[in-house]
Amino acid sequence: MRFRRAAGWIVTPAALGLCLIPPVATAFFRFLFPDVPDHLYTRSTMVTLLGQHLALVAISSLPAVIAGIGAGVAVTRRGGEEFLSLVKGAAAIAQTFPPAAVLALAVPALGFGTKPAVFALFLFSIFPVLENTIAGIRSVPPAVLDAAAGMGMGPVVRLLRIELPLAFPVILGGVRTAVVINVGTATLGAIVGAGGLGVPIIAGLVRFNPAFVLHGALVAALLAFVLDRSLRSLETRYGREA
Amino acid sequence: MIELTNVRKEYGETLAVEDLSLRIPTGTLCVLIGPSGCGKTTTLRMINRLVEPTSGSIRLDGSPVETRDVNELRRNIGYVIQQVGLFPHMTVSQNVATVPRLLKWDKKSTAARVNELLDLVGLDPGEYGEKYPSQLSGGEAQRIGVARALAADPQIVLMDEPFGAVDPLTRDILQSEFIKIQRKLKKTVVFVTHDIDEAIRMADTVVVMQEGRIVQADSPEDLLARPATSFVRDFVGADRALKRLARFAVADIMVPAEGLGVDLEATEIASEYRFPWVVDEDGRFVGWVDTDAVSAGTTVGEALHRVVAAEFCLREEGSVKDALSRMIHEGVQSLPVADGDGRLTGSVTLAAIQEFSTRGTAL
Amino acid sequence: MNRANRVVQALAGLGVVSLFFPSIVAKANRVVSGDAFPLWDLSPLFAALLLVAWVLLAVSVAGRTGPRVPAWIAIGLTLLHLLIIHMAPGWLDALGVTYSRISLGPHMWIGLFSVAFVLLDLQTRVRNRLFFLMVAAAIVTFAFSPAVQFLSTYLEFLGKRDRFLYEMGRHLMLLGWSVGTATVVGVGIGIGAWRRPILESPLFAFVNGVQTIPSLALFGLLIAPLAFLSMRFPVLRQWGLRGIGFTPAYIALTLYALLPIARNTYLGFAGVDPAVADAARGMGMDTKALFLQIYVPLATPVVLTGIRVAVVQAVGNVVVAALIGAGGLGSFVFQGLGQNAPDLIMLGVLPVLAMAILLDRFFAVIIPLLSPKGIPVQP
């Protein structure tokens, strides 16, 4: 079991690295698809595209996490409980929206480029964080909160010292879900001109070049894996401490 | 008859049951009791082969259980567990009808049998038949569990802490009712519990287990009177004399008594007691009187201390232990016994209880 | 209701704010971005009516009146918004604007969104079916308004009706085939993992892993080997297996639908109360009876919920499949993006949203019907 886990930590980044080194990648794709004219997407390097992709994910996820946790906390306070069912209803409806649709709808409003992509990604990643924040806070045993109040902890202190730390693993799970969805939706960002790893995939689809497609797809998939894995291990580490 | 011979169960390195031999006569209720992990539940589950013994043999009326088809075996043994395990997606009637359906009874007989059993456990078939388990209380669910186990009229019934999951009041009621059912049906019951009071109350034979072995197997009276080891003595509890008294009814030690009439004149009092009981013209208990306080010229009725018969008198089916407890509480040396209509039928004295306890026999 | 319903008041506030945004956009053709008109310019009367209605709504939930008054106001607001669409062509003509199509501006979207959520919130308090039938009726009558002819999205639809139906058909076909296959395989995986716990870890690692991969990337990853295979074995081409098109989409969509179904199947079967199983075995039920009469009925609602989740997700995933030539409503979305024609995008997006919501509601209704009675089912 430990061997498998160590293998995962070595293999995935290694594969990622190989994809990013041009000569290695070229050789690999030449081997797979000898008949294709170009083996490497040359408009920009993979590293650049990877950077763009990560930037998209980071810029949209960070505010989404803050907003999601903030809204989740607000709705679980005594003053905000009325909004809970509305927020849950909104979240349920939002989950049925396909990411591609939201991305497409953002364009008429915000034009092409990174703006609609970031906006759509932001909107999308709020909901998993929000839902998990609500679930995590609600899973804190009321007896614990009662004891804390009894010991003289005010509501803000209770939130920061008790509720959030105990809810943290669950919230982190929501963040992980949001980030993984973001990495996926960000690949579509290429369609609206936001760059990222979707660019070589689309280029490959348009020009019938499977090498481009595979290259972009591999890096995107590996990126998703690495992020998912690291966040999962963070989750288990905090879960154990809690 | 259930016969276990040299039964042994190992789980890897752990020995759950070691060299256990036991004979349970037909029509008796045998309780397996002991601390957690003593092997009582494992032993029970070997009888219907939910657990297979590592070695040794189990025979039912002479035929060994290993040779029979396991499902056919289980369909002919009743099985009741603590969490009941009612099928949540079936109605009460469907639950109770499970084994008859497995045995391919026809619909009419099954329906009739279901109604019969619901009546037996004290639930109205019309009201409960179509309910779902989620709509039942704990006590009701337990009764259905028992009904379900008895549906195909098995001779043997296995019960694993069946009344453990309900509150003490409900448990007491369920125990009384099961004792009545057992008296009527005379099944061969193997009953696992960790509650010594339950064991004493219900068992014909109590089997005390410790670490996979039988330490003592006796009737409840003998178990209480003569615990075999210090473990058994501690397990049974220091108040075993009182526990023993719980087994006996007031009817076993009462003596007939007569009350003085209400209208009796002071001069006519001929009681040997100072505080005799007083009854009305129908023989119903109304209270007691201090004979020294009845002055000349008055009747008993005027010096009478009235009490409510229902609260003050003992019932014949009540336990001797409860009678003793009342006497200590009231600070009296005797108490009257009345029947359901309130008529005085006898009395019980503290002295009689004491003598009974030491001598070990009823008068 | 003795406390003020702050949710509805907040939404009413949002409604008032929306009045400051443009209401109707008039365009000469599909590509031009058009002129935006706030409601005050088009019809001060209506703007005032709406303002009053929103304020009344906020006031009506502030105190002791029951939920019926706000409900009626909400219905009124819905009608007002629909009326605006109906009257808009007339207003634009009165202003002398030349246009060939109109579309809804931010005010309409925000306003309708707010009313929808007000209705949603009130629904939990007013349990009167009649109420919602009225709302539904209002929306339906709107479809007969002559103004509809001018609505840009509708015009797009008219222009492409045959193609729309074709792509809708392809969308549904991909949906059906992929979820259908995933149901068979996913239930198998779930039950397999339940019966042989050693399989649980690797099976779920695989299924979870697949979910992590971005959909476009998965489509891409499948194209390469399929293209390779179809080039090497021409006979496969004849059977319709190509690098792009239906095949990779079908495989990828099936893989995505596996996780919710497999996970819920496993949870459904493993979650059966062990006491129930013990009692059943102890009573002499053989393995087949135990499985069919106990496990299957009790696991059914959970499994069906997994299928529900898979279906709703799949509706969205199929949109991306258009990129690899599999067709579906996504083709309108991407075409619209390419031509910078928002109305075309809407032609793709609106049916997808409607399908997702309708399918979700459909499952919400039939899951309790297909599940055994007596066990609580989550809505």
Side-chain angles (χ1 to χ4, degrees), chain A residues 207-233:
Chain A
R207 291 190 234 163
F208 297 107
N209 188 332
F212 288 1
V213 174
L214 190 57
H215 201 178
L218 264 180
V219 178
L222 289 170
L223 175 65
F225 264 129
V226 168
L227 283 173
D228 183 65
R229 273 294 196 64
S230 6
L231 286 172
R232 258 188 223 267
S233 65

Side-chain angles (χ1 to χ4, degrees), chain B residues 71 74-77 79 84-106 110-111 113-114 117 133 144-145 147-153, chain C residues 276-286 289-290 293-294:
Chain B
N71 290 313
R74 292 175 189 162
R75 286 171 204 171
N76 289 295
I77 298 181
Y79 183 56
V84 192
L86 288 183
F87 308 139
H89 59 301
M90 295 187 190
T91 61
V92 163
S93 302
Q94 288 167 330
N95 262 283
V96 176
T98 310
V99 182
R101 287 243 298 271
L102 284 173
L103 292 173
K104 310 239 194 286
W105 288 21
D106 67 276
T110 311
R113 180 74 179 150
V114 167
L117 284 162
I144 307 288
R148 187 173 66 168
L150 295 172
D153 202 23
Chain C
V276 168
D278 189 53
R281 278 174 60 224
M283 281 161 49
M285 269 201 198
D286 57 308
L290 187 65
Q293 289 178 36
I294 306 288

Side-chain angles (χ1 to χ4, degrees), chain B residues 268-279:
Chain B
E268 295 167 302
I269 295 176
S271 175
E272 63 196 84
Y273 303 111
R274 178 158 165 211
F275 301 102
W277 315 128
V278 180
V279 297

Side-chain angles (χ1 to χ4, degrees), chain C residues 199-211:
Chain C
L199 291 180
E200 191 219 334
S201 207
L203 280 176
F204 277 95
F206 169 71
V207 174
N208 270 302
V210 165
Q211 274 284 336

Side-chain angles (χ1 to χ4, degrees), chain C residues 312-332:
Chain C
V312 172
Q313 274 182 12
V315 171
N317 285 335
V318 175
V319 170
V320 181
L323 278 176
I324 59 168
L329 293 164
S331 33
F332 294 121

